[in-house]
Amino acid sequence: MKPFTFDQIPLMMNKIHDKLEHLEKLILRISNTKEDKEDILNIEEASKLLNLSVSTIYSKVSRREIPVNKQGKRIYFYRHELMQWIKSGRIKTYLEIKNDIEKRSKI
């Protein structure tokens, strides 16, 4: 590594900051992925996560609208499955729809 001048310090600090920010994002993504896949929730925890009442969750389970795991009379949820379920209901923006149409017309 070459020595740098005093005038280069702000530039070097920005580079260091950007690299640290990138590393932090990578670490958070890796740790969240591991935790999310292993997190098992009971109905009360799922209720808090989804901001739905317990009775609403039971209704969705009985209508098979929500991913669930059953052991005997107890039901459990995987956090990552619930998050995927939430994301599956996402409504596309006008721009996303327009881009999809343009991609299809090119094919």
Side-chain angles (χ1 to χ4, degrees):
M1 184 172 155
K2 297 179 188 177
F4 50 92
T5 66
F6 183 77
D7 293 336
Q8 293 174 319
I9 290 176
L11 177 64
M12 296 303 287
M13 291 301 293
N14 279 337
K15 285 183 179 181
I16 291 170
H17 179 265
D18 290 344
K19 288 183 180 187
L20 282 174
E21 210 170 53
H22 180 70
L23 285 172
E24 183 180 22
K25 287 178 184 176
L26 287 174
I27 290 169
L28 284 173
R29 190 179 326 147
I30 290 168
S31 66
N32 285 342
T33 302
K34 287 180 183 176
E35 289 174 12
D36 286 349
K37 289 188 178 181
E38 296 173 1
D39 259 354
I40 297 175
L41 309 175
N42 62 30
I43 192 145
E44 289 83 15
E45 293 166 330
S47 169
K48 288 178 187 173
L49 176 70
L50 300 173
N51 198 24
L52 297 171
S53 69
V54 171
S55 60
T56 300
I57 293 182
Y58 276 122
S59 296
K60 290 187 177 297
V61 167
S62 68
R63 291 190 308 260
R64 297 179 185 262
E65 295 177 358
I66 191 169
V68 65
N69 298 281
K70 192 170 181 182
Q71 280 291 45
K73 293 184 179 184
R74 296 193 180 258
I75 58 174
Y76 301 97
F77 304 88
Y78 284 103
R79 181 183 302 273
H80 75 279
E81 288 179 349
L82 292 178
M83 298 310 289
Q84 287 174 341
W85 175 73
I86 291 170
K87 290 175 185 176
S88 71
R90 184 177 179 281
I91 298 172
K92 290 185 177 184
T93 65
Y94 172 76
L95 184 60
E96 289 171 328
I97 293 169
K98 183 180 173 185
N99 289 338
D100 286 347
I101 292 170
E102 288 174 0
K103 285 180 188 175
R104 290 182 189 152
S105 65
K106 290 180 183 178
I107 295 176

